[in-house]
Amino acid sequence: MLKKEFLNPHPMGFTNTVVCSNNGAKTIFVSGQVGYAEGRVGASFEEQAQIAYANLVKELACAGASVHDVVKLTTYVVGLDRDKSKANRKAKDHYFTQNNQPASTMLGVSSLVMPELLIEVEATAMMNEH
């Protein structure tokens, strides 16, 4: 029987993390995490990328998971260019240090939900129930 757990609902009408469990396996869906924390948006793309990945790690931890359980990342970048791609990689590599990296897609977009946001990272993770 499929069991769904909704973690960290957001006032904007979505849930940050949804855990689906079935037959001993858990699939974790983490909504897009942005460069916003502690009431402020990061001042630069690099800082926003660091914050977005830190937020992603926190959401995974709420579901009992880690970056080692992530099988798919999708990254949305406003005004994607080579420098932002490199800065994103640097922020990602701070957390994703394992040899087997998740599947990944990076998309350039014209804007995100707030005009000052420059990056959003979402993830899907899978693990065995403990």
Side-chain angles (χ1 to χ4, degrees), residues 66-109:
S66 76
V67 296
H68 296 281
D69 301 306
V70 174
V71 295
K72 176 71 168 91
L73 282 173
T74 304
T75 306
Y76 304 91
V77 177
V78 175
L80 179 60
D81 61 20
R82 186 168 289 170
D83 290 338
K84 287 180 180 174
S85 180
K86 287 179 184 177
N88 175 69
R89 174 74 186 261
K90 183 176 179 184
K92 176 183 161 281
D93 285 353
H94 179 78
Y95 295 100
F96 288 82
T97 59
Q98 68 269 34
N99 287 331
N100 295 315
Q101 294 286 315
S104 182
T105 301
M106 183 181 299
L107 303 162
V109 297

